């Protein structure tokens, strides 16, 4: 049996933490290793536990979730951050993703969907609430007019890698599918982000959806 996914829950509301913890601990594939009621505490506990996945609230007294996300990722790059919040405005979404969050969910998410998002995050795969995905696509649609022309700068191999990124594949899976090394995959990903002027894999995936390279299910 594989090791359970270790999770830390960060929220300033005790009832939210306890509710999430109660459900997640009933899942054999997940182990809640820590709870934090503030961004500052989240950073300290992340250093102690190095969780696989963090469920991060955004609006908290003191250090907010964006800054806490940035600091946790600095401490433990392998730790994946899922934003779990009630806010879906641009001023919350974009800073959180830029800080290093892999996924962005709203608190109306169904319990089973949250578990699936945790499982995906542990594999390096993003999950976006439909409202959030719509905001990202709108942002790209209203970006500079020549953005679409940038797509033609990608090589055939880079288009293949981008397609797999958009389908949620990890670097390891991409390497296996294309029969290339992890290092080569990382090089392609870096080139894709540079050529498309994007910050991370999540933005690359949304760009691919927008351009019709893949079809969202």
């Amino acid at each position: 049996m594989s090791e359970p996914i270790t999770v830390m829950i960060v929220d300033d509301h005790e009832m939210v933490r306890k509710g999430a913890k109660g459900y997640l601990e009933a899942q054999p594939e997940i182990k809640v290793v820590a709870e934090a009621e503030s961004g500052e505490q989240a950073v300290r506990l992340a250093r102690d536990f190095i969780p696989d996945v963090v469920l991060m609230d955004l609006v908290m007294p003191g250090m907010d979730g964006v800054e806490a996300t940035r600091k946790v990722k600095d401490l433990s790059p392998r730790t994946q951050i899922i934003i779990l919040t009630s806010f879906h405005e641009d001023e919350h979404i974009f800073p959180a993703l830029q800080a290093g969050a892999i996924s962005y969910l709203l608190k109306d998410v169904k319990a089973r969907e949250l578990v699936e998002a945790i499982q995906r995050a542990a594999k390096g795969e993003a999950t976006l609430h439909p409202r959030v995905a719509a905001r990202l696509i709108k942002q790209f649609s209203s970006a500079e007019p020549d953005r679409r022309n940038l797509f033609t700068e990608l090589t055939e191999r880079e288009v293949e890698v981008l397609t797999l990124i958009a389908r949620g594949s990890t670097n390891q899976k991409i390497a296996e599918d294309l029969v290339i090394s992890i290092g080569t995959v990382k090089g392609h990903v870096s080139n894709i982000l540079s050529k498309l002027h994007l910050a991370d894999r999540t933005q690359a995936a949304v760009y691919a959806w927008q351009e019709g390279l893949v079809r969202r299910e």
Side-chain angles (χ1 to χ4, degrees), residues 56-95:
M56 181 75 74
D57 190 18
L58 279 185
V59 180
M60 297 178 286
M63 183 187 297
D64 66 12
V66 171
E67 184 62 21
T69 293
R70 185 176 295 110
K71 289 184 178 297
V72 169
K73 291 296 289 185
D74 286 344
L75 275 172
S76 177
R78 68 174 293 277
T79 296
Q80 301 291 1
I81 313 289
I82 297 176
I83 300 299
L84 186 60
T85 182
S86 302
F87 300 93
H88 56 85
E89 294 79 13
D90 291 0
E91 61 265 30
H92 294 102
I93 296 170
F94 299 120

Side-chain angles (χ1 to χ4, degrees), residues 9 11-22 35 107:
I9 302 169
D11 198 293
D12 60 328
H13 292 96
E14 183 180 14
M15 289 299 293
V16 173
R17 296 197 310 274
K18 298 302 182 187
K21 181 179 180 181
E35 295 177 56
K107 287 182 177 177

